[in-house]
Amino acid sequence: MGEFAQLNDDNIVINVIDVADDDAPDEVTGIAFCKNLVGEGTSWVQTSATGGIRNRLALRGMKFDEDNDVFYYPSGAYPSWVLNTSTWDWEPPVALPGDAGVDDPDNPTEFVEYTWDEDTTSWANRTVVDIS
């Protein structure tokens, strides 16, 4: 089964459909199948649930960057975050503290969480969550 992403004029994903292998043995044939199904004036790009095609599975709202042949979310979670063009993920300007998510060896039912504070552009609100 192949997945195909429908793009609008701004290369934003507006729909993703699964196409049977018989109908899409390759990308060109799959795109023709999608256009026949939805409309000749539509734009399609193959994507992949395994991430092997164009970095990751396309989802609605994602941007397709033709020059780099990848899908990514069009904006970060916060204005201070920057797009890492190696991973195509948005990253904070300050790394997550090293103890985030680490279980306390003395208490394996506790998990450390942080939240991002955009006003101070730092990680804050360190909390320990009981996951027992």
Side-chain angles (χ1 to χ4, degrees), residues 86-106:
S86 294
T87 63
W88 296 98
D89 291 318
W90 291 91
E91 297 178 350
V94 177
L96 186 63
D99 67 342
V102 175
D103 290 328
D104 179 346
D106 297 325

Side-chain angles (χ1 to χ4, degrees), residues 13-87:
V13 177
I14 57 173
N15 193 17
V16 179
I17 62 173
D18 291 329
V19 179
D21 289 340
D22 289 346
D23 295 319
D26 57 58
E27 184 171 26
V28 172
T29 306
I31 290 171
F33 177 84
C34 293
K35 286 184 174 197
N36 186 51
L37 186 67
V38 179
E40 286 301 318
T42 57
S43 177
W44 295 87
V45 178
Q46 189 170 11
T47 185
S48 172
T50 60
I53 299 173
R54 301 187 168 100
N55 194 50
R56 63 174 50 100
L57 175 66
L59 300 173
R60 283 187 188 155
M62 290 181 111
K63 173 112 177 137
F64 176 62
D65 181 319
E66 274 184 274
D67 294 334
N68 293 291
D69 200 31
V70 296
F71 289 102
Y72 67 93
Y73 287 98
S75 64
Y78 301 97
S80 65
W81 290 33
V82 295
L83 183 62
N84 178 328
T85 56
S86 294
T87 63

